[in-house]
Amino acid sequence: MDKYSKVVEELIQFRNDREWEQFHDSKNLALAISIEAAELNELFLWKKEEEVENINKDRLKEELADILSFSFLLAEKHNLDVFDIISEKIKNNALKYPVDKAKGTAKKYNEL
């Protein structure tokens, strides 16, 4: 079993042991991702540029774990393979952001 499958299995077991599946509909999982992402942003709030790369790593790990956990559960609920959908997104972005136009710029694809 690969790492991803093992983690998803552990998440599902954790959830099921607590009978939380009833709360894990798509809407609530999406909201949980958004809320946890806001908590991640809070780590950087009001920090100066030189401070942002030195935030508390334990808090960073905690917030990322929450975001990824809910993301994995939402993907699993819809039978989506996280690695497949990320690979697909990279391929689509490569078309939208060709290296010769996008290299070194943060402009959106429709501004290139």
Side-chain angles (χ1 to χ4, degrees):
M1 178 180 298
D2 61 36
K3 283 183 178 182
Y4 170 71
S5 298
K6 184 177 184 305
V7 167
V8 171
E9 186 177 282
E10 289 174 5
L11 283 167
I12 291 169
Q13 185 66 53
F14 180 88
R15 177 198 67 196
N16 291 349
D17 287 349
R18 288 151 184 81
E19 297 181 355
W20 288 351
E21 186 174 9
Q22 62 185 315
F23 308 118
H24 286 188
D25 57 62
S26 297
K27 175 195 65 104
N28 282 316
L29 289 169
L31 288 170
I33 293 165
S34 178
I35 291 164
E36 296 300 339
E39 291 179 11
L40 174 66
N41 283 331
E42 188 177 28
L43 298 178
F44 298 98
L45 185 63
W46 315 122
K47 301 283 192 289
K48 294 182 180 171
E49 188 175 339
E50 61 273 6
E51 296 175 298
V52 296
E53 299 305 329
N54 296 314
I55 63 165
N56 182 313
K57 295 289 192 250
D58 289 331
R59 292 280 317 281
L60 177 62
K61 290 185 333 186
E62 187 176 317
E63 299 308 338
L64 281 173
D66 287 340
I67 293 164
L68 292 166
S69 295
F70 289 127
S71 296
F72 288 175
L73 286 168
L74 183 57
E76 188 274 335
K77 182 173 197 58
H78 292 275
N79 298 311
L80 300 171
D81 181 292
V82 170
F83 296 107
D84 288 345
I85 63 176
I86 291 172
S87 289
E88 185 178 328
K89 182 67 173 178
I90 292 168
K91 288 175 189 166
N92 290 339
N93 280 347
L95 297 173
K96 288 200 272 192
Y97 298 96
V99 173
D100 62 323
K101 291 183 180 179
K103 191 171 187 172
T105 181
K107 291 180 179 178
K108 192 162 172 130
Y109 67 93
N110 59 359
E111 298 172 340
L112 295 173

